[in-house]
Amino acid sequence: MSEKIEVGSVLTGKVTGIQPYGAFVALDENTQGLVHISEITHGYVKDINERLSVGDEVKVKVLSIDEAAGKIGLSIRATEEAPEQVQRAPKKPRAKRPAAVVQYQDDSAQGFNTLKDKLQEWIDQSDMAKK
């Protein structure tokens, strides 16, 4: 890799290839790096081809250098000023739904007593089926 390229430096390069995950940028005759899709611009990029084309000259900032792997991480958005955040009106609170009304039955009413009565019948039927 070239000796003059350092992390944090801003350079001009030429886009040499585009993939769905990013764009390859030649920094000099022997050195190229990758601008990941998330580093193209501020905001979401669905299709790199809408932002860049092979042959475009771009200003990039060197984010990382991996000498062992021979990889250089680049960013175009780091060379641009972030857009101002648009202040949105606070969301209106949603109306709360009324809590579900649960009516309890006293022990004298049917309710779970029917299940209690049937349970013994089902146990007896199960025991008879096993014999």
Side-chain angles (χ1 to χ4, degrees), residues 24-50:
F24 291 94
V25 176
L27 301 174
D28 60 28
E29 301 82 37
N30 303 320
T31 311
Q32 73 174 5
L34 175 69
V35 178
H36 187 267
I37 189 169
S38 65
E39 293 295 331
I40 300 284
T41 188
H42 296 278
Y44 179 74
V45 176
K46 183 176 183 177
D47 183 7
I48 295 175
N49 294 296
E50 293 176 0

Side-chain angles (χ1 to χ4, degrees), residues 104-119:
Y104 294 98
Q105 297 178 349
D106 63 357
D107 291 334
S108 63
Q110 284 249 268
F112 289 107
N113 289 334
T114 305
L115 181 62
K116 179 179 161 189
D117 296 339
K118 283 288 194 183
L119 184 60

Side-chain angles (χ1 to χ4, degrees), residues 51-106:
R51 299 281 182 168
L52 298 173
S53 300
V54 173
D56 286 354
E57 279 204 4
V58 292
K59 190 174 4 172
V60 294
K61 182 174 184 176
V62 179
L63 298 180
S64 64
I65 298 175
D66 185 347
E67 298 253 357
K71 295 180 179 181
I72 299 176
L74 304 172
S75 174
I76 295 172
R77 80 176 186 170
T79 65
E80 302 169 347
E81 196 170 312
E84 287 186 32
Q85 294 291 329
V86 177
Q87 293 293 327
R88 295 183 181 181
K91 291 184 178 181
K92 294 180 182 176
R94 296 191 325 197
K96 292 184 179 180
R97 295 184 199 166
V101 177
V102 179
Q103 294 180 345
Y104 294 98
Q105 297 178 349
D106 63 357

